Amino acid sequence: MTVTPPTLPHRSVTHWDQIDWTRVGKRVKGLQRRIVKATQEEDWDRVKDLQRLLTRSLFGRLLAVKRVTENQGKATPGVDGVIWSTPESKIRALPTLKKEGYQSQPLRRVFIPKSNGKMRPLGIPTMKDRAMQALHLLALDPVEETRADGHSYGFRPGRSTADARAQLFILLSKRTSPSFALEGDIEACFDRISHDWLLSHVLMDKIMLHEWLKAGVIHKGELLPTKSGTPQGGIASPVLANWALDGLESLVKRCAGGKGLCLVRFADDWVVTGPSPEILEEVKEQIQEFLAERGMTLSPTKTRIAHIDKGFDFLGWDFRKYHGKLLIKPSEKNIKTFLTKIRDWVDSHKQARQIDVIGFLNPLIRGWANYHRGAVAKETFAHVDAKIFELLWQWAKRRHPEKSPRWIRERYFHAIGTRLWVFADRDDKGHWVSLVKASDTKIVRHVKVRKEANPYDPAWEKYFKDRRKRKLETSGEEKWGMAEL
């Protein structure tokens, strides 16, 4: 069947700031909806035709350049040292985003610290390679969303960690709920996914995928080959990882007749609920075989079976039953990591202005509290507020070792409204700015996304529109996976 291309805007884009992004977005969304319909009908030839049309369109290229020049890594160059920071550079990039003659450049290796003290390797592609990934992701993601596991919540539009938490509450909160959980940890998931498996199974242009996977990485001036894995730092990597892990849910349901077995996954972190350790051991073996086919393996030290009365940690929360009642609280590890981050920053900024300390801490406290606002967290919030107060009191005392406690209090802590001992300072305009409290965050029940909801399917457009509206009304709800629609 012939695919009719949409009418393109004028190809000589000369003014980046005058582009009609609403029109561009509608055109891309129209193609993505057609990809969804073809995927639902399993018309794979038509899917490929539509993907090819989207990746060759000016609309797609415009959105791809927009994404990589406005996201968090927009000022981080690849091995070529190039960034697209001006309107002119963005326009010049558009005609270069084509398959003909394309060759991916090696990744730039950087390391970031992990919570366990180790270093996580990232591979930073060039701006052009990032834009090419973003372009082809526009055509791949609608297919992935249509075939994805229903209870997979990581790196997916319209889904979040809060949805994974809510699903586990549904599975574990009843008296008749399973009493055991298998916590799964995939060892170096992104680094070990089989290239052969991805090239054989991912429904996208194989030449482009091969270029990304085999680009190599430059570390300390030496070019190293990439024999497996998808680079952490690449835009397409999360979707490729999800593609490799989709199917785990149906595998679990087939194990032991599926009785009492359910899987909840966020990226490469997952939990399987089950009625007994013996059955979960069988599930573990089946999952290990599933992963081995894709080049991955379970971590023997981090994969364990836990009784719900003793609890388990997942995505920063502790899931545990107390006298038969399930309570989901911020985990001890998560609290410790958060407070350590604050303590380290404050200790390293002993001479910072008070207003700057408040400016750094407020978004940190607000973001952390919003993440946990759907859990049983009131006591935790009060505990964290007390620890932060102690930390700031010591910070203030160190700055003035010869001053009395009363003088320090009057200098740094004030009565604002009905509150005393408020860590506050005046800004450059003379307005009071005070430190926020985690305990001021209201506990809000999160409404879980429906598992069959597809943000690229027009049948679900109103559903996601209503969810976005509720999200804005509650202001600060948990961050959704990937880009918002």
Side-chain angles (χ1 to χ4, degrees):
M1 185 179 293
T2 304
V3 177
T4 305
T7 304
L8 292 173
H10 197 278
R11 290 190 175 275
S12 56
V13 178
T14 57
H15 298 286
W16 184 263
D17 297 332
Q18 295 178 10
I19 294 172
D20 185 351
W21 291 110
T22 300
R23 183 184 177 212
V24 171
K26 285 182 178 179
R27 293 287 188 171
V28 170
K29 185 180 289 186
L31 284 171
Q32 290 176 323
R33 288 175 171 178
R34 293 165 68 184
I35 292 173
V36 167
K37 187 174 186 295
T39 303
Q40 291 169 340
E41 295 172 353
E42 298 186 0
D43 187 345
W44 305 121
D45 288 337
R46 183 168 175 79
V47 168
K48 292 176 182 178
D49 288 342
L50 289 166
Q51 286 181 320
R52 190 180 303 112
L53 181 61
L54 177 49
T55 55
R56 291 180 178 181
S57 72
L58 179 58
F59 302 115
R61 283 180 278 151
L62 283 166
L63 281 187
V65 173
K66 187 175 190 290
R67 175 174 179 177
V68 301
T69 56
E70 294 183 2
N71 64 12
Q72 192 173 3
K74 62 183 179 182
T76 305
V79 293
D80 59 359
V82 173
I83 59 172
W84 299 336
S85 57
T86 65
E88 294 76 18
S89 62
K90 297 172 187 178
I91 292 173
R92 287 196 301 270
L94 293 173
T96 70
L97 303 183
K98 57 184 180 179
K99 178 180 176 181
E100 293 76 15
Y102 173 72
Q103 185 173 2
S104 180
Q105 294 192 59
L107 307 168
R108 182 168 69 90
R109 172 68 78 218
V110 297
F111 293 89
I112 60 172
K114 297 170 65 174
S115 59
N116 59 7
K118 297 181 179 179
M119 301 299 288
R120 183 191 305 277
L122 295 185
I124 308 299
T126 64
M127 291 295 289
K128 180 178 177 179
D129 291 334
R130 271 177 264 176
M132 288 295 280
Q133 290 189 29
L135 175 59
H136 284 264
L137 191 58
L138 290 172
L140 176 62
D141 208 32
V143 183
E144 163 60 13
E145 281 298 306
T146 306
R147 60 176 291 283
D149 285 351
H151 296 303
S152 161
Y153 300 101
F155 302 120
R156 296 181 61 192
R159 285 166 167 78
S160 71
T161 53
D163 294 308
R165 181 190 66 213
Q167 177 61 19
L168 278 173
F169 180 84
I170 292 170
L171 294 174
L172 297 170
S173 59
K174 303 179 183 67
R175 287 185 178 274
T176 56
S177 295
S179 298
F180 295 88
L182 169 64
E183 303 172 65
D185 185 271
I186 302 173
E187 204 166 66
C189 171
F190 283 86
D191 297 330
R192 297 187 179 181
I193 301 176
S194 167
H195 286 180
D196 290 341
W197 191 93
L198 290 174
L199 289 166
S200 298
H201 292 84
V202 177
L203 195 63
M204 66 166 289
D205 190 300
K206 306 301 182 186
I207 294 176
M208 298 301 302
L209 181 56
H210 184 274
E211 283 292 323
W212 301 342
L213 296 177
K214 301 298 185 181
V217 59
I218 291 182
H219 180 52
K220 295 182 179 180
E222 182 181 358
L223 177 61
L224 305 174
T226 46
K227 298 179 180 179
S228 63
T230 61
Q232 296 187 60
I235 288 176
S237 295
V239 176
L240 295 177
N242 268 341
W243 194 291
L245 294 173
D246 281 332
L248 266 177
E249 190 171 324
S250 57
L251 172 73
V252 167
K253 288 180 179 178
R254 293 194 302 268
C255 293
K259 185 177 180 181
L261 295 171
C262 292
L263 177 138
V264 177
R265 180 168 67 83
F266 189 92
D268 57 336
D269 293 324
W270 49 269
V271 171
V272 178
T273 62
S276 71
E278 293 76 20
I279 290 178
L280 288 178
E281 282 291 349
E282 294 180 22
V283 172
K284 179 181 173 182
E285 292 178 7
Q286 292 292 317
I287 291 176
Q288 185 69 277
E289 292 180 12
F290 176 94
L291 294 175
E293 182 185 346
R294 292 154 175 79
M296 297 174 280
T297 184
L298 290 174
S299 169
T301 57
K302 297 180 181 179
T303 302
R304 68 186 189 95
I305 297 173
H307 193 281
I308 192 61
D309 290 346
K310 293 185 178 180
F312 62 91
D313 287 358
F314 185 58
L315 301 177
W317 293 295
D318 175 71
F319 295 76
R320 186 175 308 196
K321 276 191 174 179
Y322 298 82
H323 306 292
K325 183 177 182 179
L326 178 69
L327 297 182
I328 304 172
K329 302 179 179 182
S331 69
E332 290 295 329
K333 180 182 177 181
N334 183 272
I335 298 168
K336 182 179 179 181
T337 300
F338 173 65
L339 290 175
T340 298
K341 183 175 183 178
I342 290 180
R343 184 179 298 108
D344 290 347
W345 190 90
V346 171
D347 287 346
S348 62
H349 291 78
K350 295 182 174 65
Q351 301 306 318
R353 296 189 306 162
Q354 184 180 10
I355 192 70
D356 293 334
V357 174
I358 295 170
F360 175 81
L361 294 183
N362 273 358
L364 206 62
I365 296 169
R366 196 178 287 117
W368 180 83
N370 282 336
Y371 183 81
H372 293 293
R373 68 188 308 196
V376 181
K378 269 299 179 185
E379 288 185 8
T380 302
F381 288 168
H383 167 74
V384 164
D385 285 338
K387 290 295 183 182
I388 293 174
F389 173 83
E390 292 174 9
L391 178 66
L392 293 175
W393 177 253
Q394 294 299 322
W395 173 84
K397 284 177 62 178
R398 281 197 304 266
R399 291 164 69 92
H400 308 283
E402 298 180 0
K403 297 294 185 179
S404 67
R406 179 176 179 178
W407 185 94
I408 293 172
R409 174 188 172 181
E410 292 175 350
R411 169 65 179 80
Y412 293 100
F413 299 88
H414 307 275
I416 297 180
T418 59
R419 283 187 167 175
L420 305 175
W421 288 88
V422 179
F423 190 75
D425 195 11
R426 292 186 184 275
D427 62 15
D428 296 336
K429 296 181 180 179
H431 300 142
W432 281 108
V433 180
S434 59
L435 187 76
V436 300
K437 287 182 172 289
S439 53
D440 286 340
T441 303
K442 294 181 180 180
I443 301 298
V444 178
R445 177 178 174 271
H446 178 78
V447 179
K448 188 183 79 69
V449 68
R450 292 177 61 177
K451 71 174 185 176
E452 65 272 21
N454 185 340
Y456 296 107
D457 188 336
W460 292 96
E461 184 174 6
K462 184 178 184 303
Y463 173 80
F464 280 103
K465 183 178 180 180
D466 292 342
R467 282 183 67 82
R468 288 195 298 273
K469 182 179 178 181
R470 286 197 303 270
K471 180 174 182 285
L472 290 174
E473 289 172 351
T474 55
S475 66
E477 193 172 337
E478 293 89 338
K479 189 179 290 185
W480 287 16
M482 289 192 62
E484 299 222 5
L485 300 178

